[in-house]
């Protein structure tokens, strides 16, 4: 079975998505997600100009070889653009292989090891009352784990708290980084000291209201120094977090040694990683508990399966990144892995806007707080190419963070 064409579809139903569509001479088609939020068209060029032309005519069944052909054979290795392109090709080839086998993808990964994948929702509030109402709304929707983010007094606009209601989700406040917002990044302010003082009071109020059975998560979004991260981890210990995410930027993996030695709060890192080399020491030294790199950015099913098997040796579990900038195709890939990986931890699930499903269809279901991949052969997803054309690409960026004196800060 030969690869006839590698199509790249850019569409923006609610936000921008890049989808690879591999067409084989047998007529079987596979889909892969190549979306890199805010840098989408760089991946499109990588795929159209450099990957598609060298894949045409190759045997679509040779997934492992094609992975190495694109990774090892390219000389310029790694990086988010390269790895998103490889991820999407790999995902599409696994979609094809599972369709040929007439099985849902998780069967080819060894079959089910659990009945469903525990998912966590996002809740945010500009006040503690608003946050408590938002958590309750997610519990009413069936979620059994919630990530909580809050505004910080004195800071106008911080990570995780939306700037307005999305016009694409029936007005619901869900997507805080939507398309259509502006052609340039908006700016938010940051003050680590104010944040470190405020967050424990938020957790105290939420635990007071909901008790200790509800798993709670929090994302510091790379804003802290190792020492500040240690302070935060210690101050949150009384509130028994499921995890504390991305406390510091991690170009220097050894920075986590200080954080780890100072706090027992569980740590999750890695939504911006794209290779095993980004987290080798984090994993082998057991400096983290959960690894966030999803199949869309970590080399597809092949890359992330290897990464998670390696992590399993060191008791590190998965917690795949699942924001709305992972397309329904990428989410399906994650959920197939979630039910097949022994060392699954939790799955982030930020529900897509209704308009996203005017272009994509997906067999992934959510019930009783858990996600499931469905039984359709392959990934169980499809894209309506005519509908996709109705939603052309629009420049959209993640915000930029500045300290109150104007200094650019880590985002
Ligand atoms: O900022 O998906 O845990 N989730 C996150 C997300 C990320 C965006 C980046 O594209 O941190 O909100
Ligand atoms: Co995050």
């Amino acid at each position: 079975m030969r690869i006839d064409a590698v199509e790249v579809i850019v569409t923006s139903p609610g936000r921008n998505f890049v989808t690879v569509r591999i067409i084989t001479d047998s007529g079987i088609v596979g889909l892969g997600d190549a979306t890199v939020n805010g840098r989408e068209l760089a991946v499109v060029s990588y795929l159209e100009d450099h990957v598609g032309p060298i894949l045409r005519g190759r045997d679509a069944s040779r997934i492992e070889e094609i992975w190495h052909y694109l990774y090892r054979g390219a000389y310029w290795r790694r990086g988010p653009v390269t790895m998103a392109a490889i991820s999407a090709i790999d995902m599409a080839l696994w979609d094809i292989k599972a369709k040929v086998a007439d099985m849902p993808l998780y069967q080819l990964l060894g079959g089910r090891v659990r009945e469903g994948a525990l998912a966590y929702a996002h809740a945010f509030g500009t006040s503690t009352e608003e946050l408590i109402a938002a958590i309750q709304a997610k519990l009413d929707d069936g979620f059994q784990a919630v990530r909580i983010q809050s505004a910080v007094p004195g800071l106008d606009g911080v990570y995780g708290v939306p700037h307005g209601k999305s016009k694409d989700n029936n007005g619901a406040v869900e997507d805080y980084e939507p398309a259509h917002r502006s052609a340039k990044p908006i700016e938010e302010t940051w003050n680590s000291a104010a944040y470190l003082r405020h967050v424990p009071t938020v957790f105290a109020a939420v635990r007071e209201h909901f008790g200790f059975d509800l798993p709670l998560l929090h994302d510091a979004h790379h804003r802290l120094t190792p020492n500040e991260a240690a302070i935060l981890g210690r101050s949150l210990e009384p509130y028994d977090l499921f995890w504390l995410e991305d406390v510091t930027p991690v170009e220097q993996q050894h920075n986590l040694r200080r954080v780890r030695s100072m706090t027992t709060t569980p740590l999750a890192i890695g939504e911006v990683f794209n290779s095993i080399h980004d987290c080798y020491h984090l994993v082998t030294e057991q400096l983290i508990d959960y690894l966030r790199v999803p199949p869309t950015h970590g080399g597809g099913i092949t890359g992330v399966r290897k990464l998670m098997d390696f992590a399993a040796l060191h008791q590190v579990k998965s917690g795949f990144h699942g924001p709305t900038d992972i397309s329904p195709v990428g989410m399906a890939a994650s959920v197939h892995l979630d039910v097949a990986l022994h060392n699954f931890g939790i799955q982030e699930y930020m529900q897509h806007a209704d308009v996203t499903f005017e272009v994509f269809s997906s067999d992934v279901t959510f019930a009783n707080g858990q996600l499931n991949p469905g039984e359709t052969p392959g990934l169980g997803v499809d894209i309506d190419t005519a509908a996709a054309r109705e939603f052309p690409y629009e420049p959209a960026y993640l915000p930029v963070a500045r300290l109150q004196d104007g200094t650019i800060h880590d985002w």
Side-chain angles (χ1 to χ4, degrees), residues 342-364:
H342 178 257
N343 56 329
F344 165 79
I346 199 167
Q347 173 65 54
E348 184 178 27
Y349 181 39
M350 214 179 145
Q351 289 154 300
H352 288 110
D354 294 342
V355 67
T356 300
F357 295 103
E358 292 179 22
V359 172
F360 295 93
S361 61
S362 172
D363 267 11
V364 170

Side-chain angles (χ1 to χ4, degrees), residues 120 147 159 176 219-222 245-246 271 292 321 348:
Y120 72 89
R147 186 192 88 161
Y159 168 74
Y176 44 85
D219 192 348
H221 226 250
H222 310 116
E245 176 184 342
D246 284 338
E271 67 184 45
R292 304 267 295 132
H321 194 208
E348 184 178 27

Side-chain angles (χ1 to χ4, degrees), residues 43-59:
V43 190
V44 174
S45 166
Y46 195 95
L47 283 161
E48 287 186 341
D49 298 329
H50 303 293
V51 172
I54 61 173
L55 288 188
R56 275 191 278 280
R58 301 188 75 85
D59 181 349

Side-chain angles (χ1 to χ4, degrees), residues 2-127:
R2 301 275 153 196
I3 295 173
D4 262 357
V6 178
E7 286 181 7
V8 184
I9 300 166
V10 182
T11 181
S12 190
R15 60 179 314 134
N16 294 312
F17 298 109
V18 178
T19 308
V20 161
R21 197 161 167 267
I22 294 183
I23 301 163
T24 60
D25 59 3
S26 69
I28 294 179
V29 171
L31 296 181
D33 179 21
T35 308
V36 174
N37 193 9
R39 295 291 185 271
E40 297 87 357
L41 300 187
V43 190
V44 174
S45 166
Y46 195 95
L47 283 161
E48 287 186 341
D49 298 329
H50 303 293
V51 172
I54 61 173
L55 288 188
R56 275 191 278 280
R58 301 188 75 85
D59 181 349
S61 71
R62 301 178 77 163
I63 300 177
E64 180 77 11
E65 193 209 35
I66 288 175
W67 198 97
H68 289 279
Y69 184 65
L70 295 177
Y71 178 84
R72 230 167 270 283
Y75 193 60
W76 308 106
R77 294 182 190 179
R78 302 165 57 192
V81 173
T82 300
M83 294 308 292
I86 294 176
S87 298
I89 297 293
D90 182 83
M91 220 179 267
L93 293 175
W94 276 104
D95 189 24
I96 290 167
K97 193 178 283 294
K99 285 174 179 171
V100 170
D102 199 26
M103 290 180 189
L105 175 65
Y106 74 83
Q107 293 288 10
L108 273 55
L109 303 176
R112 238 178 226 286
V113 297
R114 61 185 53 79
E115 303 315 313
L118 176 67
Y120 72 89
H122 286 195
F124 30 71
T126 48
S127 65

